[in-house]
């Protein structure tokens, strides 16, 4: 294949992945904005007050997590900064809150991306929200038991409040959507290069023992690594593409996306929580260890429950399309086999 054909193939594949993501993201972004404008997120925060107290946080921090759950990390940071002056927290408390935000945020968009690949949304929501609460509770107990990170938190950075102008907001969202396409193009091109020089297969071979324990085959291994580093929207988008192509098995998809749900964008998102005062001991290391343990146990429980339970409650196979990997667009024909 010539260089020009490779470029066309990368652009075509990236365009398909981006289009599938846009179909999910655009309606949900609009709905979430309406909820925010109507002040309905505050109502979601009220039931979370007792939950916050369970993990050693003031009830008012429920609004921070509620914002993260329905919106994104940046929105929750703005709410946190607005409350920080009235409710000073320790570094340990901010770390607990940060871990919960990192595991469970942007659920309307991210759970739809996961659902489009096959895993059932109800269980994935339970996994992420339950995982956030479990790790938050564990860390709060550990930090209190050891007397660690009990000093008063100091904000390292304060984000600027979002503009209330709808036109400015709309232009910002268009920029974000355009950036999604740019990043997917870059990732697709990098993965093609890595595959060509053998780096992809080397990474998968090196990580094969760990991936095998986590129930993730070689076909999904590289995409799982992409998701953990770059984020669920990107890794999940690529998994979604592979799921519809029939190249990745159901249990590989389930394990991969469950892992990504608990730990994704491990560098960028972790740094965002660091700048509001969280500590890497919980934000990064505890989260990764917790994720590996949970997914390893989950894989074994799913195998014990059997395929019938898996397909009835945890996974709904997606339609597989029979299509070429062209250098230019072609028709998509459902594979009826």
């Amino acid at each position: 294949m010539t260089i020009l054909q490779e470029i066309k193939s990368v652009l075509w594949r990236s365009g398909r992945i981006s289009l599938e993501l846009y179909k999910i993201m655009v309606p949900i972004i609009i709905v979430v904005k309406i909820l925010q404008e109507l002040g309905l997120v505050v109502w979601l925060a009220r039931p979370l007050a007792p939950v916050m107290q369970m993990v050693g946080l003031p009830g008012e921090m429920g609004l921070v997590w509620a914002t993260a759950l329905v919106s994104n990390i940046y929105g929750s940071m703005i709410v946190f900064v607005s409350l920080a002056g009235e409710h000073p927290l320790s570094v340990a408390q901010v770390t607990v809150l940060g871990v919960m935000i990192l595991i469970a945020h942007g659920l309307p968009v991210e759970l739809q991306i996961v659902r489009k690949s096959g895993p059932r949304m109800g269980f994935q929501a339970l996994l992420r929200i339950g995982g956030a609460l479990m790790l938050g509770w564990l860390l709060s107990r550990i930090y209190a038991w050891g007397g660690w990170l009990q000093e008063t938190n100091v904000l390292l950075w304060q984000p600027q409040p979002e503009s209330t102008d709808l036109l400015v907001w709309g232009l910002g969202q268009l920029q974000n959507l355009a950036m999604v396409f740019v990043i997917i193009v870059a990732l697709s091109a990098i993965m093609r290069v890595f595959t060509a020089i053998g780096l992809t297969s080397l990474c998968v071979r090196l990580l094969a023992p760990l991936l095998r324990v986590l129930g993730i085959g070689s076909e999904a291994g590289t995409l799982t690594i992409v998701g953990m580093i770059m984020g669920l929207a990107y890794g999940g988008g690529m998994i979604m593409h592979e799921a519809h192509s029939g190249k990745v098995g159901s249990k590989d998809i389930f394990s991969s996306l469950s892992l990504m749900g608990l730990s994704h964008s491990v560098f960028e998102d972790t740094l965002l929580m660091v700048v509001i005062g969280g500590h890497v001991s919980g934000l990064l290391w505890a989260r990764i260890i917790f994720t590996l343990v949970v997914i390893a146990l989950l894989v074994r429980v799913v195998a014990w429950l059997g395929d019938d339970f898996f397909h009835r409650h945890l996974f709904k196979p997606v339609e597989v399309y029979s299509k070429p990997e062209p250098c230019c667009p072609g028709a998509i024909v459902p594979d009826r086999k």
Side-chain angles (χ1 to χ4, degrees), residues 48 51-52 61-69 100-101 104 129 132-133:
L48 293 178
V51 174
M52 294 296 103
M61 290 297 117
L63 181 58
V64 179
W65 195 32
T67 303
L69 288 172
M100 293 173 65
I101 290 172
I129 295 173
L133 290 173

Side-chain angles (χ1 to χ4, degrees), residues 149-196:
L149 307 180
Q150 299 303 309
E151 61 272 20
T152 302
N153 180 61
V154 177
L155 291 170
L156 303 179
W157 173 69
Q158 295 193 9
Q160 295 297 316
E162 293 181 342
S163 173
T164 57
D165 186 274
L166 288 178
L167 178 60
V168 174
W169 173 82
L171 292 174
Q173 297 305 314
L174 287 175
Q175 290 176 345
N176 291 338
L177 293 173
M179 187 56 64
V180 167
F181 174 72
V182 171
I183 292 175
I184 288 176
V185 170
L187 286 174
S188 297
I190 290 170
M191 289 179 68
R192 285 290 183 98
V193 172
F194 283 178
T195 300

Side-chain angles (χ1 to χ4, degrees), residues 39-200:
L40 296 180
V41 177
V42 176
W43 290 92
L44 176 61
R46 291 185 178 180
L48 293 178
V51 174
M52 294 296 103
Q53 293 168 1
M54 182 182 73
V55 296
L57 294 170
E60 291 77 6
M61 290 297 117
L63 181 58
V64 179
W65 195 32
T67 303
L69 288 172
V70 302
S71 181
N72 53 50
I73 292 177
Y74 294 98
S76 66
M77 291 172 68
I78 293 169
V79 175
F80 174 76
V81 169
S82 69
L83 297 175
E86 300 177 9
H87 305 282
L89 304 178
S90 67
V91 175
Q93 287 177 306
V94 175
T95 302
V96 168
L97 179 61
V99 164
M100 293 173 65
I101 290 172
L102 291 176
I103 292 178
H105 63 265
L107 296 187
V109 171
E110 294 185 350
L111 289 178
Q112 281 295 331
I113 293 171
V114 170
R115 185 183 70 83
K116 289 286 186 178
S117 300
R120 295 186 183 272
M121 198 161 58
F123 176 78
Q124 292 297 316
L126 178 64
L127 176 67
R128 293 185 64 177
I129 295 173
L133 290 173
M134 182 180 296
L135 183 55
W137 181 83
L138 285 172
L139 285 175
S140 68
R141 302 282 85 80
I142 291 171
Y143 288 142
W145 172 76
W148 298 309
L149 307 180
Q150 299 303 309
E151 61 272 20
T152 302
N153 180 61
V154 177
L155 291 170
L156 303 179
W157 173 69
Q158 295 193 9
Q160 295 297 316
E162 293 181 342
S163 173
T164 57
D165 186 274
L166 288 178
L167 178 60
V168 174
W169 173 82
L171 292 174
Q173 297 305 314
L174 287 175
Q175 290 176 345
N176 291 338
L177 293 173
M179 187 56 64
V180 167
F181 174 72
V182 171
I183 292 175
I184 288 176
V185 170
L187 286 174
S188 297
I190 290 170
M191 289 179 68
R192 285 290 183 98
V193 172
F194 283 178
T195 300
I197 65 177
L199 186 58
T200 298

Side-chain angles (χ1 to χ4, degrees), residues 21-41 70-72 108-109 166 169-171 173-174 177:
L21 289 176
Y22 292 160
K23 289 177 182 178
I24 297 169
M25 296 173 73
V26 172
I28 293 176
I29 287 171
I30 294 171
V31 170
V32 168
K33 180 63 174 177
I34 293 172
L35 292 177
Q36 291 173 327
E37 291 295 317
L38 295 177
L40 296 180
V41 177
V70 302
S71 181
N72 53 50
V109 171
L166 288 178
W169 173 82
L171 292 174
Q173 297 305 314
L174 287 175
L177 293 173

